[in-house]
Amino acid sequence: MTTESSPLTIAQLAELAGVSTATVSKVVNGRSEVSSQTRAAVEELIRRHGYRRQRRRSTPTGLLELVFHALEGDYPVEITKGVAQVAREHDLTVGISDLRRDHTAADAWLEGVLRRRPSGVIAVFSGLTEPQHELLARREIPLVLLDPADVPARDIPSVGAGNWNGGLTATRHLLELGHRRIAILTGPDSALPSRARLDGYRTALDMAGVPADPALIGRGDFLIEGGLAEAHRLLRLPDPPTAIFATNDGQATGVYHAAHQLGLRIPADLSVIGFDDMPSIRWTIPPLTTIRQPLTDMAAAATTMLLTLAQGEPLPQNRVELATELVVRESTAPPAA
């Protein structure tokens, strides 16, 4: 809780903490060469008293920082297209970082961001910690979350897709074709999009009066290999599913491989529906029915929001959700008689 007194300068903070001004400067600027005990003490003083910069921050570079949880598959390509499209219109450069699915790498990445002084940061499917959010805010570097992996804090802008409605729509499509043994391959339990798509699946079954069988819920990881392994398990059940809803196109590719290995024909023996509508998935045999997630449009919206914040203007809304839609191709059909 802050006091009503004026914010303190680096020199005043250093005097209260009993450390050098250089040490306080390192804490303020997110440098790593400070002990955890000293950092905690200085940050507590900043929380209590506030911090007043003695000069205007340097002008940010013409750079937008785009950071991914992992650079794999079509997903980052589609997002980069949307960011680059808006960046070109404003004569900005896009820098891309990859945390390699390693949350500890975020600290090293953040130090680099503070040195590069971008106009703003777009974090994709990445859960930055609260201290990392605070550090970006303290340096006046705006942040927008894109396709967030968890529920964003109220004050952090974000752009997502209608994941719950997409899960509902995918499952309804299979129900309308006559399927009742419908399996789902989820993503990580910790991922908000995965949980929302699973909730949509359950809602569609409930509305149709079809009991949800726990054995038909496959725990996946949004990867082809995970989809392959879980599809093998599902298709070897005593009463196997006649349709599988894979909550991303990568896992749907894994289902295709499992069906081929088990001698099953798609869609004659097994219907498959994915989620994302990545460009490459249109070339599967048969072409995949899927839920289109407008990743490029989502990225463009996030970039526009970021530039609004970088110009010091308020956003009309902090949370933007773009609609998903069903794209019917040739991988779904009524179940075999």
Side-chain angles (χ1 to χ4, degrees):
M1 181 176 179
T2 59
T3 67
E4 295 182 1
S5 59
S6 298
L8 303 182
T9 64
I10 281 183
Q12 291 169 324
L13 288 167
E15 183 177 356
L16 284 175
V19 297
S20 69
T21 55
T23 296
V24 175
S25 179
K26 287 177 181 178
V27 173
V28 168
N29 292 303
R31 301 287 297 277
S32 60
E33 310 91 28
V34 181
S35 71
S36 57
Q37 184 177 359
T38 299
R39 182 183 299 278
V42 173
E43 289 178 343
E44 175 60 24
L45 285 171
I46 292 173
R47 276 191 288 270
R48 286 170 51 197
H49 300 284
Y51 164 56
R52 182 175 77 247
R53 293 187 178 276
Q54 293 173 287
R55 58 181 176 84
R56 292 174 61 88
R57 73 184 181 105
S58 58
T59 303
T61 60
L63 171 70
L64 298 182
E65 189 86 20
L66 178 61
V67 58
F68 290 95
H69 177 54
L71 277 171
E72 297 173 351
D74 292 338
Y75 178 88
V77 175
E78 295 305 297
I79 285 174
T80 302
K81 285 180 184 177
V83 175
Q85 171 187 318
V86 177
R88 278 195 302 271
E89 294 170 358
H90 293 82
D91 198 24
L92 296 170
T93 301
V94 179
I96 297 176
S97 300
D98 175 15
L99 299 184
R100 302 181 300 281
R101 299 183 181 272
D102 180 4
H103 290 290
T104 61
D107 289 331
W109 162 77
L110 190 56
E111 283 192 35
V113 169
L114 298 179
R115 287 194 303 270
R116 291 188 287 272
R117 304 203 62 80
S119 296
V121 173
I122 299 174
V124 184
F125 204 72
S126 299
L128 299 181
T129 65
E130 185 174 342
Q132 290 163 345
H133 290 161
E134 290 177 356
L135 188 53
L136 287 171
R138 198 180 305 150
R139 294 295 297 273
E140 301 174 35
I141 298 174
L143 168 69
V144 175
L145 302 181
L146 175 54
D147 197 16
D150 208 342
V151 179
R154 183 181 299 179
D155 60 336
I156 299 186
S158 64
V159 178
N163 289 295
W164 180 86
N165 190 67
L168 179 82
T169 301
T171 310
R172 274 183 170 172
H173 171 66
L174 296 171
L175 288 165
E176 288 167 359
L177 288 172
H179 295 278
R180 293 298 179 266
R181 293 288 291 170
I182 301 172
I184 183 172
L185 291 181
T186 70
D189 290 339
S190 60
L192 177 64
S194 172
R195 298 196 305 270
R197 293 168 197 177
L198 175 59
D199 287 345
Y201 159 86
R202 286 173 166 153
T203 300
L205 292 179
D206 183 61
M207 292 175 69
V210 176
D213 184 348
L216 295 182
I217 298 177
R219 301 296 175 180
D221 53 10
F222 284 156
L223 300 176
I224 294 174
E225 296 83 358
L228 174 64
E230 273 301 294
H232 267 286
R233 181 190 69 80
L234 290 165
L235 296 172
R236 287 191 167 102
L237 289 172
D239 187 9
T242 61
I244 295 179
F245 167 32
T247 55
N248 79 333
D249 289 345
Q251 292 186 132
T253 300
V255 175
Y256 269 53
H257 282 275
H260 176 73
Q261 291 166 3
L262 295 172
L264 298 176
R265 299 164 299 163
I266 298 173
D269 304 314
L270 176 71
S271 285
V272 181
I273 187 169
F275 200 111
D276 284 333
D277 194 28
M278 296 299 184
S280 61
I281 215 67
R282 300 166 198 176
W283 300 101
T284 56
I285 301 176
L288 179 68
T289 295
T290 191
I291 299 295
R292 176 175 294 149
Q293 180 175 208
L295 291 174
T296 300
D297 292 342
M298 288 161 59
T303 310
T304 300
M305 291 170 71
L306 189 69
L307 294 179
T308 299
L309 292 170
Q311 292 162 6
E313 299 174 8
L315 295 172
Q317 60 190 86
N318 257 20
R319 171 68 179 170
V320 173
E321 183 175 288
L322 299 188
T324 53
E325 64 175 307
L326 174 66
V327 180
V328 178
R329 297 194 178 99
E330 299 174 30
S331 65
T332 52

